[in-house]
Amino acid sequence: MTAAKRPWTAFYQPQARSDIGTASYRTIGDLIRSVADTYANAPAFTAVMPNGMNGTLTFAQVDEMSDAFAVYLREIAGLKQGDRVALQMPNCLSFPVAAFGILKAGCVLVNVNPLYTADEMAKQFSDAEPHALVIIDMFANKIPDATRGHPIPNIIVTRVAEFLPAMPRGIVGLVQKYWDRSVEPVEVAHIRLPEALEAGRVRARAEKIEVDAYHQSVQPDDVACLQYTGGTTGVAKGAMLTHANLILNMEQTMELISGVKKGEEIALTALPMYHIFAFTVNLLGFYWLGARNILIPNPRPLSNLKRAFENYRITWMSGVNTLFNGLTNEIWFTDSPPKHLKFASAGGMALQASVARKWEAITGKPVLQGYGLTETSPVLTFEPLGKTREGTIGVPVPSTLVACLDDDGKEVPQGQSGEIAAKGPQIMAGYWNKPEETAAVMKDGWFLTGDIGVMDADGYFTIVDRKKDMVVVSGFNVYPNEVEDCLASHPGILEAAVIGVPDESSGEAVKAFVVRRDAGLSEADIRNHCKAHLTAYKVPKRVEFRDDLPKSNVGKILRKDLRAEELAQHAAE
C-alpha cells in the first residue's frame, strides 16, 4: 500500500503508525497472560446491577479463573484444539472468565445472542456444531429444544450475579427466583461454572498442567471466533475471525486513539460483548489498555446505567446511535453528565449528526464514529480524535486499504458513490463451511461490504446507505440514512426509521416511521421540515407514528422488520 493511495494517513496523530506489521501477540491467550502479568492486582472487570450492587475481578483473578476453565475444557470435558464452544450470556463477570478460558484452551469461541429463541439457537448450533455450551441460567430452559437433533455434550451454566460478593449475589438470586421469576430450574445435565472452575484447579494441581501449552501450538491464522452475521444476504453465516484478525484490529483501532493512558482508564461497556464491536473494542481493547471495565448486564431501561455513571469516574464509553440519543433525553444524564469522560466511540449503525451535536453539547466531549462489519473484526475506519468531520465515518485504520467500487469492480472517481470495499489484516478467513458465500463477498482480494459510500479528497469516508436499503423513487436513488438524519434534526422527533414501500406511480415511495417527542407533531409538520432540507423525491410520501421502533439487542433500529410488515400488509391488500 503506497502513501499515494492512502491520503488519510496525513490525518493520523504524529505518533500513530500507518502500518502495523505483525501483531504484538501471537494469540489472544498470549495477550491475556501478558496483560494480567502487568496489571495483576488492578481491577479489570466490575459488573454493576441497576440498583448499584456490584462485584469486581482483578486482572490476576480473571487470569487464574480462565486458566482453570481452560483446564476443565481440555482435561475434564475432553475438548481438543479447534473444538467449538458456544458462549451465550449478557455482560457479566462470567463472560471474560469463560471467553478467555475458551481461547486459552485453544478452542474456538462461538458467540451466541442470549435472547435468541430456541429455533434461532438451534440453527446456529446446527451450523457451528459446538462441543460445549456456556449459558446464563435465565435462558437455560431453551436448551432442550435448541439441541434437539444435534446434542451438545457439555453444558456449563452460570448466572448474571456470578462472582459478586455473597450478599448481592444472594439478593439477585432471590429476586430472579421469587420476584420476577426469570430463572427456572435447569432440566438438562449440566455443571455450574464455579464447580467447573474448581474441577479445573484440582486437575491442574494434581497433574501440574501448564495452561500456556494449550495455546502454544495455536497459530496466529487459526480461527479464534465464529462470529455469526446476516451479512449482505440475510442468511446467518459464521465469520471465521482468526487470532491475528482480532489482535491486529484491536491494535489498528487503538493506534488512532490519543489521550488514553494505560492502566488509568475506566470504561463503560453497555453494548453486549457477544457483539463483535464490543468484543474487539471493549473486551479485548479495554483489557489490553489495563482499563477498569464497567459491565452493564442490561442497558434497558437506560436508568440501569445511572448508578454506574454516579459511582465510577467513566473516562471512555462505546455505544450505538440509539444509546447516545436515549441518554441525551434522560433528565438524570443531562442534569449530571459524566465529568471525566474523554470521548465516546460509536459503531454498529450510523451516528446521526444531530445526535452527535447534542451529545457534545451536553458532555463537552465528542463521539468518535467507527465503521466496520463482523467480517472485518470489525473496524475498518475510525475518526481521529481532534480531527473529526461531521457526517463521516473517519479514515481507514492503519494497514487498511478502502475504496469505493462500481458494479464492475472498478474504483469510482473521488467524490462519487460506490460500494465500499476493503483490504487489510482484519478481513475474516471466510465463512464457516460456506465457500460459495465467501466467494460472493471476496473479489480480486477485496472484501465487498454491501455499503454505499463516498471518499473525499482527504480520504474521509461517508456512508450513503446499504445497497439493499436503497429506495428507488422514479429512478432516483434515495438513501434512508440521509432522510433519517434529517428527521432526527427535528426537535419534535425522538426516533425515526425510513424504508421504501411499493407505489403505483413511482415504483417505490419513501415511508417514515416516527416516534414523537412532541405529541402535537403532525404529518404536515414532518413533511414541511423535510421539504426545507431535502429534494422533493426524498421527502417521505407516507408517515406512520409509533410508540416505539423494533430494535436489535444492541439498539440498532431494524428496518428489515418494518419492511417485512409493510410487504405483508401490501400483499394482504
Side-chain angles (χ1 to χ4, degrees):
M1 299 178 188
T2 64
K5 288 186 176 181
R6 298 186 297 170
W8 50 78
T9 59
F11 296 89
Y12 288 1
Q13 297 292 339
Q15 75 280 6
R17 295 170 290 172
S18 59
D19 283 295
I20 299 174
T22 56
S24 299
Y25 308 92
R26 287 184 66 258
T27 69
I28 297 174
D30 294 336
L31 182 156
I32 296 164
R33 178 76 76 226
S34 175
V35 173
D37 288 344
T38 302
Y39 301 105
N41 296 319
F45 296 94
T46 297
V48 180
M49 301 296 142
N51 62 3
M53 289 190 300
N54 63 85
T56 296
L57 295 178
T58 66
F59 284 88
Q61 287 174 314
V62 173
D63 191 44
E64 185 277 330
M65 295 164 85
S66 56
D67 272 0
F69 191 55
V71 174
Y72 172 81
L73 291 174
R74 291 295 295 266
E75 308 299 330
I76 300 172
L79 274 66
K80 303 183 298 297
Q81 180 177 321
D83 284 348
R84 275 81 59 207
V85 181
L87 182 60
Q88 190 170 14
M89 65 181 73
N91 293 347
C92 57
L93 295 177
S94 296
F95 196 107
V97 170
F100 290 173
I102 293 165
L103 294 167
K104 283 181 175 180
C107 295
V108 176
L109 171 62
V110 183
N111 275 312
V112 184
N113 184 333
L115 296 184
Y116 267 178
T117 65
D119 286 346
E120 290 169 321
M121 291 164 63
K123 290 176 183 176
Q124 189 165 334
F125 294 161
S126 176
D127 189 68
E129 297 181 317
H131 297 74
L133 166 65
V134 190
I135 189 170
I136 202 84
D137 56 0
M138 292 183 291
F139 308 112
N141 62 327
K142 303 174 188 176
I143 295 175
D145 288 337
T147 57
R148 189 171 289 121
H150 37 82
I152 299 176
N154 300 284
I155 306 293
I156 302 99
V157 177
T158 188
R159 47 186 172 173
V160 74
E162 204 81 85
F163 309 126
L164 265 64
M167 183 174 292
R169 186 172 69 245
I171 292 172
V172 171
L174 289 171
V175 169
Q176 290 182 317
K177 187 173 181 179
Y178 297 108
W179 180 260
D180 59 22
R181 300 182 183 276
S182 59
V183 175
E184 299 177 14
V186 182
E187 303 292 349
V188 296
H190 67 282
I191 186 171
R192 292 280 174 171
L193 182 59
E195 296 169 9
L197 298 187
E198 187 55 31
R201 291 184 184 106
V202 171
R203 180 65 64 90
R205 286 195 296 268
E207 301 185 10
K208 296 181 171 56
I209 293 169
E210 293 292 336
V211 173
D212 288 351
Y214 295 145
H215 54 91
Q216 282 174 354
S217 59
V218 175
Q219 300 302 312
D221 289 335
D222 287 346
V223 177
C225 292
L226 282 188
Q227 195 74 24
Y228 277 76
T229 175
T232 58
T233 65
V235 179
K237 303 177 290 292
M240 296 186 289
L241 304 180
T242 68
H243 288 265
N245 285 155
L246 291 162
I247 295 170
L248 278 165
N249 194 237
M250 182 270 292
E251 291 193 69
Q252 289 171 312
T253 306
M254 296 300 169
E255 196 71 24
L256 296 192
I257 296 172
S258 59
V260 294
K261 296 180 179 179
K262 284 195 167 187
E264 297 184 15
E265 305 300 327
I266 300 178
L268 181 73
T269 297
L271 289 179
M273 290 187 292
Y274 62 78
H275 185 274
I276 187 58
F277 182 73
F279 188 88
T280 300
V281 177
N282 294 53
L283 178 62
L284 297 182
F286 292 172
Y287 184 86
W288 175 77
L289 278 174
R292 184 176 191 173
N293 200 330
I294 309 300
L295 305 180
I296 306 298
N298 182 8
R300 299 178 188 172
L302 288 175
S303 56
N304 285 358
L305 280 69
K306 186 172 184 289
R307 295 298 294 273
F309 276 111
E310 288 174 346
N311 295 341
Y312 302 92
R313 297 160 61 96
I314 306 298
T315 62
W316 186 13
M317 65 175 289
S318 62
V320 293
N321 185 80
T322 44
L323 176 65
F324 295 119
N325 184 38
L327 285 173
T328 60
N329 287 287
E330 292 282 327
I331 294 175
W332 61 265
F333 184 85
T334 57
D335 283 352
S336 183
K339 297 179 176 60
H340 306 282
L341 191 69
K342 295 179 178 179
F343 64 89
S345 57
M349 65 183 295
L351 177 68
Q352 294 169 335
S354 58
V355 173
R357 288 193 296 268
K358 189 173 182 182
W359 176 270
E360 189 161 358
I362 292 170
T363 66
K365 302 297 180 181
V367 180
L368 306 180
Q369 184 165 200
Y371 163 75
L373 300 91
T374 300
E375 294 90 336
T376 62
S377 303
V379 183
L380 288 174
T381 70
F382 201 73
E383 291 188 294
L385 187 61
K387 299 177 183 179
T388 60
R389 293 188 182 180
E390 186 176 290
T392 77
I393 53 171
V395 300
V397 294
S399 299
T400 302
L401 191 61
V402 179
C404 298
L405 307 181
D406 63 19
D407 291 338
D408 296 321
K410 297 179 180 178
E411 193 166 346
V412 301
Q414 175 255 312
Q416 291 188 17
S417 62
E419 181 173 5
I420 294 176
K423 294 180 181 181
Q426 69 271 56
I427 306 299
M428 66 172 181
Y431 293 121
W432 175 255
N433 290 334
K434 289 182 171 58
E436 292 182 1
E437 294 278 5
T438 301
V441 297
M442 297 299 300
K443 300 289 186 182
D444 300 322
W446 291 98
F447 171 73
L448 305 179
T449 67
D451 287 317
I452 305 298
V454 176
M455 184 185 84
D456 68 17
D458 293 326
Y460 278 74
F461 283 79
T462 301
I463 294 288
V464 182
D465 227 310
R466 292 289 295 173
K467 257 186 171 180
K468 64 182 180 181
D469 285 345
M470 185 174 68
V471 184
V472 182
V473 180
S474 299
F476 293 97
N477 295 342
V478 179
Y479 298 104
N481 277 354
E482 181 184 12
V483 183
E484 290 172 357
D485 203 39
C486 175
L487 292 167
S489 68
H490 192 292
I493 293 177
L494 182 62
E495 290 182 325
V498 167
I499 65 169
V501 295
D503 186 85
E504 289 184 4
S505 61
S506 59
E508 281 189 300
V510 177
K511 179 171 181 178
F513 296 83
V514 173
V515 177
R516 286 180 280 204
R517 179 182 287 110
D518 177 2
L521 187 70
S522 69
E523 185 172 340
D525 294 331
I526 290 173
R527 288 183 188 282
N528 290 334
H529 173 73
C530 289
K531 285 177 182 177
H533 300 281
L534 300 171
T535 191
Y537 65 85
K538 298 179 183 179
V539 174
K541 187 173 183 179
R542 304 173 197 174
V543 176
E544 180 178 326
F545 294 109
R546 294 214 173 178
D547 293 332
D548 52 50
L549 298 175
K551 297 185 181 74
S552 71
N553 273 27
V554 298
K556 183 176 181 179
I557 294 172
L558 297 173
R559 291 180 188 149
K560 65 180 179 65
D561 287 6
L562 296 170
R563 192 181 298 111
E565 290 178 31
E566 284 294 313
L567 292 176
Q569 184 177 335
H570 182 75
E573 292 173 352

